[in-house]
Amino acid sequence: MSERRESIHGQWSSRWAFILAATGSAVGLGNIWKFPYITGENGGGAFVLIYLLCIAVIGIPIMMAEILLGRRGRRSPINTMRFLAKSEGRTSLWRYLGWAGVIAGFLILSYYSVIAGWAVAYFFRAATGVFEGVTAAGVEAIFGNLTADPERLLAWHTVFMVMTMVVVSRGVRSGLERAVRFLMPALFVLLLVLVGYAANTGAFMEGLGFLFRPDFGAITANGVLIAMGHAFFTLSLGMGAIMVYGSYLPQDASIGKTTLMIAAADTTVALLAGMAIFPIVLANSMEPGAGPGLILKTLPIAFGHMPGGSFFGALFFLLLVFAAWTSALSLIEPLVAYLVENVGTTRLKASAWCGFGAWLLGVGSVQSFNVWSGEEYQLWGMTFFDVLDYLTANIMLPLGGLLIALFAAWGMRRSSLLDELQITDGVVFRIWRFLVRYVTPIAVILIFLNVIGVIDLTGH
Ligand code: PFF
C-alpha cells in the first residue's frame, strides 16, 4: 500500500459526515427548483427517463471517479490534479481541469445565490400569511412583483451570499458538517407532506402521468443535453465540488456504497418535488413550461389551502434555503481551498473575496429578471442568467465530467485505482472501470454531437 496523503484542511469526522455533506451539496435548488421547471419545459416523462438514465450511466460512475481522485490527491481540485498527473506520470496540463471546475463553481454560485434569494423572500411571505387562500393569479402577481424589483432581489441575493461566506470561512468541520445534519431529513419529511397535499388535488394521476409517462415526440436534441447537464448539476459533478469533499473523506470509507446512497437520496428528492408540483400545476390549469418561476407559482397555492399552511410554507422555504446553502458552500469550496493552499491567505479572507466576486457577477442575474429582460439584452434569445446557466450546467459541467472520467479511467494506473478504492479486482471494480472507460465518455460525446447536429438520437 502506498503512503497516504493528508488534507491540510481537516477531515470529516466520519463516513456519515461525508455522506451528509455530499448529499447537502447534491440536494439543493437543482432538485426542487430546477428539476420541475426544466421537466415542464421539456415535455415531462421522456425527459425524466433520459435524466434518470444519465444519473445511472454517467452520474454515478463519475461521482465515484471524483471522490476517488479527491481522496487520493487530498488537496483542492487544482492541486489534486497537478499532484495526480505527476504521480501517475501524465502531463501537467491536467491541472487546467481543476481550473475549469473552479471557474464553473464561481459562475454557478453567482446566479445560484440570486435564486436562493427568492427562497429567502418566500420564507418571509409564507411566515406572514401572505399565501393564505391565494389564487393562481394571486401567486403569479406575487412572483411578478418580486422579480420586477431589482433592489429587492439584490437585497436577498446579498443576504444569501453573506450567509454562505460565513459558513465557508469557518472551514470543513465546524462549518459545513454541522449545517447538514438535521436539515436534510427535515426537508424530506416536508416534501412528503406536499406530495400528500398533491395527492388530494384531484389531478394527482395526471401529474404522475406527466412526470412518468414518456412521450418521445416531446423531446428535442437540446432537451437531451439539458437532461444530461442536469444530471451533472444535481449531483454536483464535473467541477470538483465532490472531488474537494472527497479529499476530506476518511480513508476507510467505501466509495461505491457512499456514492449510491448520495445518488439515491438526490434522485428521490427531485422526484418527490416533481410529484408535489405537477398535480398542482395541472389542477390549476397552469403552464408546466412556466420557466424558472414554476415552483414559486405553484407551491404557495398548496400552502395557501392546507391547514397550518403558513407554518408549513414558512418551514418549507426555510428548509429550501438551507438546502441551497449547503450546496452553495460546495460551489465555492474548491476555489477557497485553492487560495488557502497557494496564495497563503487565510480562509476568512479567501471566502470574503470569493463571495464578493460572485456577488458582483450575480448582479447581472438580478437584472436578467427586470431591467435586462428585454430582447436587446439577450444573446441567442437568452438573458444573462439563462446564458450563465446554460453554459455552466450544459457545457462546462459535462465537459469537466468527461475529462474527469477520462483521467480516472485512462490516466490512472490500475494499481492506484485499486489501492484507493480498497477493493480487490472483482466484479464491481470491473463494471465501474468499464463504465468510466467506455460507456460514460461515449454517452457524453454522443449527446454533445447530437445537440450540434452531427448525429440524430431523437429522430426529429
Ligand atoms: N447540486 C446542487 C443542486 O442540485 O442544487 C447544485 C450544485 C452544487 C452544482 C455544487 C454543482 C456543484 F458543484
Side-chain angles (χ1 to χ4, degrees):
M1 200 169 280
S2 64
E3 213 175 275
R4 298 284 174 205
R5 278 159 68 86
E6 289 204 357
S7 171
I8 57 168
H9 306 280
Q11 245 192 37
W12 304 110
S13 57
S14 67
R15 179 170 78 102
W16 270 108
F18 168 77
I19 292 177
L20 281 170
T23 309
S25 163
V27 175
L29 295 174
N31 307 61
I32 294 170
W33 160 75
K34 193 171 182 193
F35 171 73
Y37 99 74
I38 56 177
T39 298
E41 283 182 337
N42 289 285
F47 178 86
V48 175
L49 193 66
I50 297 169
Y51 153 77
L52 291 174
L53 264 174
C54 289
I55 294 280
V57 172
I58 300 175
I60 291 175
I62 291 186
M63 186 179 278
M64 287 182 64
E66 265 201 43
I67 301 176
L68 183 155
L69 298 182
R71 188 166 73 178
R72 199 151 185 89
R74 291 261 188 236
R75 290 290 183 272
S76 71
I78 298 170
N79 289 327
T80 285
M81 289 313 299
R82 190 185 301 220
F83 165 77
L84 290 177
K86 193 159 177 226
S87 66
E88 300 291 320
R90 305 289 163 188
T91 155
S92 65
L93 290 176
W94 280 104
R95 71 181 184 281
Y96 290 112
L97 174 55
W99 273 109
V102 161
I103 294 168
F106 180 81
L107 297 179
I108 296 175
L109 180 64
S110 77
Y111 68 82
Y112 202 83
S113 166
V114 174
I115 309 293
W118 296 359
V120 183
Y122 267 56
F123 161 71
F124 288 105
R125 281 176 180 61
T128 51
V130 172
F131 299 141
E132 267 165 38
V134 78
T135 58
V139 259
E140 183 86 40
I142 293 175
F143 181 70
N145 284 340
L146 173 69
T147 47
D149 184 346
E151 252 171 60
R152 257 197 286 170
L153 291 187
L154 187 64
W156 295 125
H157 164 51
T158 311
V159 167
F160 185 81
M161 193 63 89
V162 170
M163 283 165 54
T164 303
M165 292 312 142
V166 166
V167 180
V168 174
S169 67
R170 302 188 58 192
V172 182
R173 278 285 274 278
S174 51
L176 310 191
E177 214 180 296
R178 219 176 284 161
V180 259
R181 209 148 253 182
F182 302 103
L183 306 170
M184 287 297 125
L187 182 67
F188 197 76
V189 171
L190 260 224
L191 274 175
L192 287 178
V193 170
L194 278 174
V195 174
Y197 173 84
N200 290 312
T201 55
F204 194 53
M205 293 325 279
E206 287 93 315
L208 293 193
F210 181 80
L211 204 53
F212 295 117
R213 203 173 307 124
D215 165 14
F216 284 97
I219 196 89
T220 59
N222 197 37
V224 177
L225 179 72
I226 294 174
M228 172 177 75
H230 189 62
F232 282 94
F233 186 86
T234 192
L235 291 177
S236 305
L237 298 177
M239 55 145 280
I242 293 293
M243 196 186 285
V244 81
Y245 276 17
S247 75
Y248 310 141
L249 180 65
Q251 202 62 43
D252 55 358
S254 151
I255 292 179
K257 272 188 225 146
T258 44
T259 297
L260 288 181
M261 279 195 240
I262 299 162
D266 186 79
T267 310
T268 312
V269 170
L271 294 180
L272 283 179
M275 287 163 66
I277 285 157
F278 286 108
I280 304 176
V281 171
L282 299 178
N284 291 284
S285 318
M286 298 171 90
E287 180 49 55
L294 185 68
I295 69 156
L296 302 148
K297 295 177 184 171
T298 48
L299 294 182
I301 300 183
F303 295 124
H305 294 90
M306 65 168 74
S310 293
F311 171 75
F312 283 126
L315 192 60
F316 175 82
F317 285 109
L318 185 67
L319 291 171
L320 183 59
V321 171
F322 277 113
W325 200 0
T326 53
S327 300
L329 306 174
S330 69
L331 282 165
I332 204 67
E333 178 66 20
L335 179 55
V336 170
Y338 172 76
L339 292 176
V340 172
E341 284 163 16
N342 284 45
V343 182
T345 172
T346 61
R347 239 189 127 79
L348 182 67
K349 273 198 199 141
S351 312
W353 279 111
C354 296
F356 178 68
W359 175 85
L360 207 57
L361 188 63
V363 176
S365 292
V366 163
Q367 316 256 58
S368 301
F369 296 97
N370 33 68
V371 274
W372 287 352
S373 63
E375 259 172 41
E376 65 276 28
Y377 295 105
Q378 294 184 0
L379 201 60
W380 307 296
M382 295 193 280
T383 61
F384 181 83
F385 157 79
D386 294 328
V387 171
L388 266 191
D389 178 39
Y390 195 91
L391 175 75
T392 50
N394 301 336
I395 298 169
M396 294 182 82
L397 298 185
L399 263 184
L402 173 66
L403 292 171
I404 287 169
L406 292 178
F407 184 80
W410 300 94
M412 298 276 294
R413 285 186 217 104
R414 187 189 193 86
S415 55
S416 310
L417 294 174
L418 284 168
D419 178 42
E420 197 57 45
L421 287 169
Q422 298 194 355
I423 50 177
T424 48
D425 192 352
V427 183
V428 178
F429 179 72
R430 284 178 189 211
I431 295 178
W432 172 73
R433 193 137 187 260
F434 179 76
L435 285 174
V436 264
R437 284 200 128 181
Y438 304 103
V439 183
T440 308
I442 291 173
V444 176
I445 290 169
L446 285 182
I447 294 174
F448 274 136
L449 292 179
N450 184 46
V451 81
I452 54 176
V454 178
I455 55 163
D456 186 5
L457 294 176
T458 40
H460 53 264

